[in-house]
Amino acid sequence: MTNEDNDTLSFQFGMKVKLNAAVKSANSDSVLDYYLDMIDPTNELHQSHLSTDNNALATQEDDYFKQRVLHIACLYMLIFNRFDEAESPIIDIYRQHVLPILQSGTDEEKRALFTRIKKQIAGSNKNRAALDDLCELVKEIIRQPKHLYGFQGDPYYVHIGLQAGLLTPNVNTMFKHYQFLSPECRENPKQILRYLTISGDRVEGTAFCKLPVEIAFTSVYFQSDSTQDTFQKFTLQYDIDAIDMVPTFFYPRSNKSANRVIQTRFHSMGIFLPYWSTFQDLQEVDKTLKHIKQFAYEWSLSSTLCMSFHLVRKSLPKFNRKTI
């Protein structure tokens, strides 16, 4: 959104908090089940993310998915085990029984490890109960007024930097072929995120551009029925059955093409009112005066037309719309 009055540019991003709801696109009952299926090597969801192609881009996507699976598996293991027992030595278990397999185990041992992690987490009712409690806590925090938790508090200011690695290192390629981004960013736009930094007001030698931004959070709530499949629908219609209407068209008098089309094709379809789209008084050198006079002209024209139609409508006799 651009505000021309104070020369500001704002971007609005939406963040949807899933809160362990169902993932209908994958037929999963909850977000937890969705990610547990993702780390399970025997699951169809896991296998669908692995490509059968051998090109460089497919290999890169596979490596990214494997890293994601590893992160989720380790994160879930470390977090959900602590829901069962507050004093559980999970860090020692991870170092002794998990990390060695990840570092030097066979593919079969790694698959078996991920399968065990899934079964252990999915089979624990305490984990699911704790997750439900956490979701309710997050809802309460989001819905609280900003003066209590500060979630929707005052905006804060940061600087977004663009690192030089984002650009192609070849100047000739940049100006002759108009390829400004590095090859990896052109092939995979997600790689651009690697070259964005958020920092304070300081100079970085690796950045070629810094943008000062103001960040603020506001809440927008939607109500949905989680018990059944619901889809958002939108319909629009004009409620004009009880309104007497006079078809009216406006067109610029100075437009010769519009005059010709109206006279040859639409002259009998309604009332046509020409207006002056430009006149000499609007051609001011001073842009401020031009905007003021243009607003005064358009406002006066609109007000006059509204009053005129109101008087015309009152003077028209009642008629049956079906005879039109």
Side-chain angles (χ1 to χ4, degrees), residues 18-19 132-144 221:
K18 194 70 174 176
L19 293 178
D132 292 338
D133 293 340
L134 178 61
C135 292
E136 292 301 322
L137 177 61
V138 173
K139 291 179 183 179
E140 292 181 7
I141 293 176
I142 294 177
R143 291 169 178 167
Q144 287 291 340
Y221 302 113

Side-chain angles (χ1 to χ4, degrees), residues 208-221:
F208 70 90
C209 177
K210 296 200 73 174
L211 304 174
V213 298
E214 174 186 328
I215 299 178
F217 288 93
T218 58
S219 296
V220 179
Y221 302 113

Side-chain angles (χ1 to χ4, degrees), residues 11-231:
F11 298 88
Q12 296 184 359
F13 300 92
M15 181 178 64
K16 182 179 180 180
V17 183
K18 194 70 174 176
L19 293 178
N20 205 34
V23 183
K24 297 178 181 179
S25 59
N27 295 322
S28 297
D29 295 333
S30 66
V31 175
L32 175 63
D33 293 315
Y34 172 77
Y35 282 116
L36 289 178
D37 290 340
M38 182 176 292
I39 66 176
D40 182 4
T42 63
N43 191 274
E44 183 179 354
L45 178 63
H46 177 100
Q47 297 174 359
S48 64
H49 283 81
L50 297 176
S51 175
T52 57
D53 300 331
N54 295 323
N55 56 62
L57 183 59
T59 302
Q60 188 178 28
E61 291 293 337
D62 283 354
D63 291 341
Y64 170 76
F65 173 70
K66 293 175 183 178
Q67 292 176 10
R68 188 182 182 191
V69 167
L70 180 61
H71 291 167
I72 295 172
C74 294
L75 178 65
Y76 276 19
M77 178 188 174
L78 295 174
I79 292 178
F80 284 104
N81 276 278
R82 297 197 170 213
F83 283 158
D84 279 336
E85 298 179 15
E87 302 299 330
S88 174
I90 187 60
I91 301 298
D92 295 335
I93 295 176
Y94 176 79
R95 290 173 176 171
Q96 296 174 10
H97 302 285
V98 176
L99 190 58
I101 296 178
L102 295 177
Q103 291 177 332
S104 58
T106 64
D107 290 344
E108 288 298 327
E109 291 174 335
K110 294 175 183 177
R111 293 191 187 98
L113 172 64
F114 290 145
T115 303
R116 289 198 303 271
I117 293 175
K118 174 189 175 180
K119 290 182 178 180
Q120 183 178 4
I121 296 174
S124 174
N125 293 328
K126 291 184 178 180
N127 287 340
R128 296 185 181 275
L131 190 57
D132 292 338
D133 293 340
L134 178 61
C135 292
E136 292 301 322
L137 177 61
V138 173
K139 291 179 183 179
E140 292 181 7
I141 293 176
I142 294 177
R143 291 169 178 167
Q144 287 291 340
K146 63 181 181 180
H147 66 274
L148 293 180
Y149 283 98
F151 181 78
Q152 302 175 52
D154 297 331
Y156 60 94
Y157 302 89
V158 297
H159 284 72
I160 297 180
L162 302 179
Q163 300 299 311
L166 177 68
L167 301 177
T168 178
N170 192 323
V171 178
N172 293 329
T173 301
M174 182 181 297
F175 290 100
K176 289 184 179 180
H177 302 285
Y178 304 104
Q179 294 180 355
F180 295 93
L181 299 180
S182 62
E184 64 171 347
C185 293
R186 294 198 304 269
E187 295 174 357
N188 185 5
K190 292 182 180 179
Q191 295 296 324
I192 295 177
L193 297 176
R194 296 174 53 189
Y195 299 98
L196 297 181
T197 60
I198 299 178
S199 61
D201 187 10
R202 64 176 184 269
V203 178
E204 297 179 359
T206 58
F208 70 90
C209 177
K210 296 200 73 174
L211 304 174
V213 298
E214 174 186 328
I215 299 178
F217 288 93
T218 58
S219 296
V220 179
Y221 302 113
F222 297 90
Q223 183 177 2
S224 62
D225 186 0
S226 59
T227 61
Q228 59 182 352
D229 292 337
T230 57
F231 298 92

